[in-house]
Amino acid sequence: MVILCDFDDTAADRNVATLLFEAFPKQPLTETTPNWRSLHKQYLNAEITLAEYQENAFAGLNASRSEQAAYVQANADLRPGFQSLAGYCALHGIELAIVSHGLDRYVRALLAKEDLGHIPVHAVETGVSTTGQETFTYRYAQDECPWAPGNCKCFLVDEYKERGHSVIYAGDGLSDTCPARKADFVFARDGLLSFCQAQDIPHRELTDFNVLLGYLEEQNRENS
């Protein structure tokens, strides 16, 4: 069994990307360097891709990478129960991994705050070029994915299933609907919850991760 968990607004108690955009806006703002809200509107109107939105929104934030990481650790938290879930998974040999369209650096910053840096992170991989510009690598991109050139969460679900895993998926939004269809069981919040209800996808509401932990304990008792 593997538990694949979305990050922003799911494993994290808020959208961490938005937290950073609001805390460190681009300076100065011009027509060629629009703020993240205008970029997000362009993305929602299908004028730019997810990758273009995200890369342009992060480019030139008014803070270094280390300052952004420190801000994340000071102002965001993992959703209640996540750390207990991680401990249960480690004890019982259940793999727990993050799957996200977000950036690995802020995902890892928040996991590190809770001493959970060992958890695998499947996200947009970032680095710094020789000219000092941030780089973005989409290791899990698939051309046929509607989120291309962003990471394809369905690819990761398929990959784990091909290894013989049953997949529990936890998420909250539109990009989680495809993996939710493919998972064996879903824990859903917000828009994903409505989607699962409408599509009769086996699920429970994810109020916090104690719900998922309780489900695992139920399964363990039934199988013992």
Side-chain angles (χ1 to χ4, degrees):
M1 178 188 293
V2 62
I3 300 169
L4 300 180
C5 186
D6 171 56
F7 187 73
D8 289 294
D9 287 316
T10 303
D13 66 352
R14 66 197 64 199
N15 188 301
V16 178
T18 300
L19 178 73
L20 290 171
F21 296 155
E22 293 181 340
F24 304 110
K26 291 182 178 183
Q27 298 293 334
L29 287 177
T30 69
E31 289 186 3
T32 57
T33 59
N35 67 25
W36 73 271
R37 292 184 187 278
S38 60
L39 288 165
H40 191 247
K41 184 176 180 180
Q42 290 178 52
Y43 164 63
L44 293 177
N45 292 335
E47 297 170 9
I48 59 176
T49 66
L50 174 63
E52 288 171 328
Y53 155 59
Q54 186 161 253
E55 291 180 22
N56 281 291
F58 272 101
L61 289 189
N62 192 28
S64 67
R65 287 163 59 98
S66 61
E67 288 171 333
Q68 291 176 45
Y71 190 83
V72 168
Q73 292 180 339
N75 293 278
D77 291 291
L78 294 173
R79 192 168 298 281
F82 189 88
Q83 192 167 51
S84 296
L85 173 66
Y88 183 93
C89 289
L91 184 63
H92 292 272
I94 300 170
E95 186 167 351
L96 171 63
I98 298 294
V99 293
S100 176
H101 287 305
L103 306 189
D104 61 350
R105 59 180 175 81
Y106 70 68
V107 174
R108 294 186 190 282
L110 191 50
L111 290 175
K113 173 184 176 180
E114 302 295 341
D115 295 323
L116 295 176
H118 60 279
I119 293 177
V121 174
H122 306 294
V124 180
E125 298 174 6
T126 57
V128 180
S129 71
T130 55
T131 59
Q133 300 299 309
E134 186 160 36
T135 61
F136 303 85
T137 301
Y138 301 89
R139 187 175 299 278
Y140 309 102
Q142 300 291 300
D143 291 340
E144 67 276 13
C145 178
W147 305 100
N151 283 332
C152 179
K153 296 179 179 181
C154 279
F155 171 81
L156 287 158
V157 173
D158 289 340
E159 188 176 69
Y160 275 101
K161 285 202 158 193
E162 287 169 5
R163 295 186 214 163
H165 290 283
S166 60
V167 176
I168 293 175
Y169 190 84
D172 75 298
L174 184 61
S175 69
D176 300 308
T177 55
C178 177
R181 286 182 181 275
K182 296 193 170 197
D184 295 285
F185 200 81
V186 178
F187 286 83
R189 301 183 63 255
D190 295 343
L192 184 62
L193 178 61
S194 300
F195 177 82
C196 290
Q197 291 168 339
Q199 299 294 319
D200 292 324
I201 294 172
H203 72 280
R204 288 187 187 178
E205 183 177 1
L206 183 70
T207 52
D208 61 38
F209 283 94
N210 292 310
V211 176
L212 204 163
L213 181 57
Y215 172 83
L216 294 179
E217 290 172 337
E218 288 173 17
Q219 297 299 304
N220 188 42
R221 287 193 297 269
E222 290 176 4
N223 296 327
S224 61

